[in-house]
Amino acid sequence: MAESRKPVISVHDLAKNYGELKVLRKIDMDIYKGEVVSVIGPSGSGKSTFLRCLNYLEELTSGEIDIGGVSLKGIDEDKHNKKLNEKAAKVIRKNVGMVFQQFNLWPHKTVLENVMECPVQVKKANKEETKKKAMELLARVGMDGKADAYPTQLSGGQQQRVAIARTLAMEPEVILFDEPTSALDPEFVGEVLNVMKDLAQAGMTMIVVTHEMGFAAEVANRVCFMDGGYVIEDGTPEEVFKHPKSDRAKQFFSKILNV
Amino acid sequence: MAESRKPVISVHDLAKNYGELKVLRKIDMDIYKGEVVSVIGPSGSGKSTFLRCLNYLEELTSGEIDIGGVSLKGIDEDKHNKKLNEKAAKVIRKNVGMVFQQFNLWPHKTVLENVMECPVQVKKANKEETKKKAMELLARVGMDGKADAYPTQLSGGQQQRVAIARTLAMEPEVILFDEPTSALDPEFVGEVLNVMKDLAQAGMTMIVVTHEMGFAAEVANRVCFMDGGYVIEDGTPEEVFKHPKSDRAKQFFSKILNV
Amino acid sequence: MNEFMHVAEIALPLLLQGLGTTAAISVLSILIAMVLGSAVGYMCLSKNKAVELIARAFIKIFRCTPFMVQVYLAYYGLPALGLNVSAFSTGVIILGMYTAAYTAVILESGVSAIPKGQFEASYAMGMSRFKTMVRIIFPQTLKIIVPSLTGQFVQTVKDSSILSIITVAEMTMMTKEAIGITFSPLIVYICAGVLYWALNLVIEFASRCIEKHNNRVAI
Amino acid sequence: MENFNIVWHYKDLLLKGLGYTVFVSVAAILIALCVGMLLSVMRMGGDSLPSRILKKIVAVYISFVRGTPVLVQIYIIYQALAVMGLNLSNLASGIIALSLNSGGFIAEIIRGGLTAVPKGQTEAARALGMSEPKILMRIVFPQVFKVALPQLTSEFINVIKVSPMLSVLAIVELTRTAQRLVTQTYINLPFYIAIAVMYFVICAGLEELVKLQKKRLERR
Amino acid sequence: GSSKNTGPLTLDQIKENGKLTVATEAAYEPFEYMDGDKIIGYNADLFAKICDDLGVELDYIDLPFQGILAGLEAKKYDVVGATLGVTAERAGKYTMTYPIQNGTTVFVKRKGDDSIKSIEDMSGKKVGTQTSCYNEDDTKKFNEKLKSEGKDGYAELLKYDSFPEAFAELKNGKIDLVAQNYASCAAVVMRNPDDYEIVADDSGKAEMVGTDTWVSWAVRKEDTELSDYINSEIHKFKEDGTLAELQKKWFGEAVDLPESDYIPAE
Ligand SMILES: Nc1ncnc2c1ncn2[C@@H]1O[C@H](COP(=O)(O)OP(=O)(O)OP(=O)(O)O)[C@@H](O)[C@H]1O
Ligand SMILES: Nc1ncnc2c1ncn2[C@@H]1O[C@H](COP(=O)(O)OP(=O)(O)OP(=O)(O)O)[C@@H](O)[C@H]1O
Ligand SMILES: [Mg+2]
Ligand SMILES: [Mg+2]
């Protein structure tokens, strides 16, 4: 990690409440270009919420997120931040892509149309060019053979690979993955993880919420363990898995790592 | 395994088609008292269908299943078998319980009512006694504290434990499990597997379709590997996992066992 | 405003008189619809193809023709068949049958919304088809269909207005009469609209209470 | 039997009435779709005061439309348009009345259909930077209309079925034609049976057609 | 529709529009009824002549009777040319033109129904009329009068959407009497002499219910130019014999009609 460079994403004091419920409490995190950060932790610890805040799919309660010079701010500090956030989100979403657990492909469009939709509609890109690029991306995830299929005709693993291609089509600097393999049949997990490995090797900056400890250990160069809305552990996979500092992490790993 | 005893379940030449699709092709299998059989195999290989035939949730196309002296027969041989099967199913379902992937608890009844419903309605058992026994069973799966809760108020793991208690209440000789943990959050898988371990140790005959290789290796005393509607491998966990005879099984394990 | 009060003063007594008839017709028709509709709905789920076909034909005929035309047919057709029933009874019967067709569809769709696993778990536990329906499926179905049933019954109240064409003195008939006296159709119709609305809000309120009760009992 | 010959004698008039019925219904349902979409969009607004008021208005509107007979609504709209000084033809007033009525129902259908579009679908679009109107028009509504096709069809059939009430505005659609012929010939049953069959063919035919189309869509 | 202006409608405007819009319910033999998809009848003939004289087209529209006066106020048309009984209420709200026929209510029974010998024999009979028609009012009042005399009154008063429906019901026995204006009843009986007859006294003269009533058309109160013109036309038709001729054609007899004091007191 090159601490001297400017971080791609910089999170300060981020907190998020749902009414009374404090889901994120006080998160500080800098993420640098080329990092692959794996976020792990028990159910309900706030992993998804954290990811969703980075993309402004959730309103921030307080604190600040800075991405590429544009920032989102908590509305507790100032109600008017909401309007500003909505503007900022337009820029941020161009830099930050997201891949969901449930793939969320649009079922009424073919694979190719799914990939082309946003470049054409949002970036107003040329149709012919976009199509060429979309086919390249589909080839990269091994899905060029299914360009004209509808999502429901694909297996989960294939859908997720298309979803990744769709995100790549917007040429983001960072991609957020929220449990990208946990809705998949075990046999298809591998193919999606391989695509992600390739992305990591190609230098893509990625934040991955996952239960796949194998992937976290092998591919990530940084692991964050969350619990109760806090980031409790943050370090290399070696540090976090082998020598967790907190009891909560120790306990969690003991449950997950052996049946 | 005591090969000399009469099998509890005896399957001869079982085949099952959905229209043109051959889902089970030619299955022969004897299952003896106290055996814990783990059925594994890729998605679509026919594992669920096999289990559902044993309980007559599916019509058999051809072949025969004999359970406790009563038999189900394929309707390809004789259409009238359908009527006979329906009668036989009434007896068979008393001997064979089933636990589903999606738990399928009845949402409009409390935990206790779920467990009591069938003994009272089907076996016409005495209410007071059934209640006593139901509470014992709930205690056995660690759910006696939630007797008056409704299913939706429980976690997945808790629901599955109740579903097991509900099945036990009918005092079956064999219990069929269809991926009992795959709808659970990872943190809750252990508690259900532990209940199943206890049952196995108490001598219950069980057939378990599962993706939990750890459980298959540790608890089962027999593993069947299915593919394309055939049982390709059938032996001890040691034999099947370590020295699979077929290439298909080798390939499958290589994908599943390491990321 | 003055005119409004004046017209309302003349119209309301008449309208309230009609409201009673409207309520009576609605209640009786809904009762018929519940009994007949459940029977037709159960027939739709039957394994016997002939039984199912009869039920489907019943539904189709009643759903695919305007209620107004059904009313005319019943009013002129029943006497032609030698049945001498009053206009009121004709109205109740035809509205009951019309609503029954919709009730049957709602019931059937409610049953199909219950996950297959609920049936299978019951069969696997040794329950009979009938027991499964009565003890496991229908109780869950009822909960699901309360909103659609409410919608249908509100519709029934409104459809009763069409019975004015066969001399039934329900609220719409009284509305016409009040207009004949006051010559202020807009005001009278607004009064009538509000009364219908109020009647239906009562139904909706009752249904919401039932839903709340359901939610409290089993989540 | 000879009575049915009379029906045959007037077949041209009846078919003309049928044509009117179809025209009025199609026009009304098309406008109603727009009204329905507009109402649902108004109902999706956030928690700010204006959008809360808007939501309340929509709620009252829908409740009124659903709670009062169409006949009453037709009269109220007919009179209200006149009071507002809009001098529209009866045909236009009738179509507007039907659309405003049906629009309320369609808004409810869309609301139901919206729950069938997983939240993830819109989130994926949002995360990819699509604007909210685009998300609605390109991602949400196409899916809503697909899942809600059966309900939308039965709403269309409903429009056909309530169109006879437009006879009170002198729109000579099918039922009004039959009524006229009945008063002219003093023969009732054969005419009413004839138009019942005509309505049945139209409505049941439409239902079957949509079912077929839906099956074709599902095959892909 | 007719005038877009808010002020009263003038004859010039009508001429400019090129048409006079007249609303009626064409289910009222022989005043106005459908022949194929054309409205014909006594009123139809009169309006055709009036429009001819004015040099404009007749825009004749067929509407259900119940809402017809409302549409006049809403300026949907210029004249309600339906057969309106002249009542104090109606005259209070609209200008009622000179009468064009005698509209006193009479009863029609099934031909040969011996249980009804005079209009006093109403005990336990079912009577039909049309909703919101002025005959309904007279029929109700007559019932009250019978009751005040200690008689039983009607078994039931049924209100139909239109008179033909009521006559059909009378024929098939669902009701025993229809109450409608004399002129129409005379025409109905004239065309169906085997089915119906008017309830008459011993001398065979039709028995009238209540006081003499006249029928005419309604025009908005402010449109005085139009109502005056129509009145002048009716007057002219009386003078030149057109009216008597048309009455003979449609009703079989001519009737004397007043031009003043035809509006009853409240
Ligand atoms: N829209 C919401 N309204 C209220 N509470 C919410 C909402 N979304 C999430 N929560 C709550 O916030 C907490 C954190 O949820 P989150 O989805 O971030 O957890 P997670 O770590 O991703 O868990 P999992 O591993 O199950 O996905 C949970 O307690 C959840 O119930
Ligand atoms: N009702 C049905 N109609 C038609 N085909 C069916 C039906 N049920 C199952 N199948 C097909 O039968 C095959 C075997 O299905 P089955 O559910 O038994 O597989 P499985 O081994 O349990 O897979 P999984 O691990 O995904 O649960 C599949 O190809 C499936 O599509
Ligand atoms: Mg999550
Ligand atoms: Mg399965």
Side-chain angles (χ1 to χ4, degrees), chain A residues 52 55 57 93 96-98 100 104-109 117-118 121-122 124 150 152-153 166-167 170, chain D residues 47 118-132 134 138-140 142-143 146 219-220:
Chain A
R52 294 162 58 81
N55 210 354
L57 287 176
R93 284 173 184 161
V96 182
M98 183 148 181
F100 299 83
N104 292 333
L105 292 181
W106 299 311
H108 58 303
K109 294 183 186 288
E117 176 75 11
C118 281
Q121 292 295 326
V122 178
K124 313 282 175 202
Y150 282 92
T152 44
Q153 297 168 324
R166 180 175 69 175
T167 304
M170 293 296 283
Chain D
D47 283 335
K119 225 179 110 212
Q121 294 282 328
T122 45
E123 286 191 343
R126 211 166 286 149
L128 285 162
M130 258 199 224
S131 64
E132 296 298 320
K134 275 241 166 83
R138 300 195 54 94
I139 306 296
V140 178
Q143 292 190 62
K146 206 176 138 193
R219 228 175 288 141
R220 75 185 196 192

Side-chain angles (χ1 to χ4, degrees), chain A residues 98-142:
Chain A
M98 183 148 181
V99 174
F100 299 83
Q101 180 180 7
Q102 299 295 346
F103 333 138
N104 292 333
L105 292 181
W106 299 311
H108 58 303
K109 294 183 186 288
T110 63
V111 163
L112 183 61
E113 284 165 358
N114 262 280
V115 178
M116 288 174 62
E117 176 75 11
C118 281
V120 172
Q121 292 295 326
V122 178
K123 287 199 177 166
K124 313 282 175 202
N126 174 290
K127 262 206 178 170
E128 277 311 303
E129 268 172 42
T130 310
K131 189 170 172 181
K132 226 182 96 208
K133 244 181 53 191
M135 288 305 294
E136 281 170 24
L137 285 172
L138 285 174
R140 192 165 158 195
V141 298

Side-chain angles (χ1 to χ4, degrees), chain C residues 12 30 38 43 59-60 63 65-66 72 78 81 87 100 116-117 122 134 143 147 190 193 195 208 210 217:
Chain C
L12 276 181
I30 287 171
S38 307
M43 283 165 75
I59 291 172
K60 195 110 213 177
R63 277 170 51 111
T65 49
Y72 275 128
L78 288 180
L81 296 174
K116 229 177 110 211
S122 316
V134 172
K143 234 178 77 180
I190 287 175
L195 284 178
R208 219 162 297 145
I210 293 173
V217 170

